[in-house]
Amino acid sequence: MVLLVTCLVVAAFAATFALLTWEYADRVATTVSALMGIAAVGVAVWAALPGTGKKVRVSGTGKAVAHSDGVAVSGLSGPASVADDLVEVDRTGDAEAFGGKATSGVSLS
């Protein structure tokens, strides 16, 4: 998508420069170059900023059933280090245990 938009912008500027006289084309090119340079610096700074970390999202899980000594998790199951990440769990399914362990939501070990 970015490549397509870039090609369309380049084509639009090429058509504009072809229709303008050299004096006006020079002014437009200088202005566009200055604006794009400022935008490039802004994007570079934004990309260098640290993110909020890993994100885990679990939603709309189905039913989980545990029999005997089994474990059933309808949602998210993982190590306790997952709690350090941004975790979002919603609309988890039913969890039933028939002699096992069942969790609907988050199960950290």
Side-chain angles (χ1 to χ4, degrees):
M1 187 62 168
V2 173
L3 184 60
L4 176 65
V5 171
T6 302
C7 289
L8 290 175
V9 169
V10 169
F13 279 119
T16 301
F17 293 147
L19 297 174
L20 295 177
T21 63
W22 279 110
E23 181 180 322
Y24 292 118
D26 184 42
R27 290 181 189 170
V28 170
T30 302
T31 303
V32 169
S33 296
L35 292 174
M36 291 301 117
I38 293 169
V41 170
V43 169
V45 169
W46 173 74
L49 293 175
T52 59
K54 301 175 190 173
K55 297 179 183 178
V56 178
R57 184 169 193 273
V58 179
S59 178
T61 59
K63 182 178 181 178
V65 178
H67 294 281
S68 301
D69 291 331
V71 177
V73 178
S74 177
L76 174 71
S77 176
S81 63
V82 172
D84 295 339
D85 301 335
L86 181 59
V87 177
E88 180 182 337
V89 178
D90 68 338
R91 296 182 299 132
T92 58
D94 296 333
E96 296 182 19
F98 300 101
K101 179 182 174 187
T103 303
S104 177
V106 178
S107 175
L108 301 176
S109 55

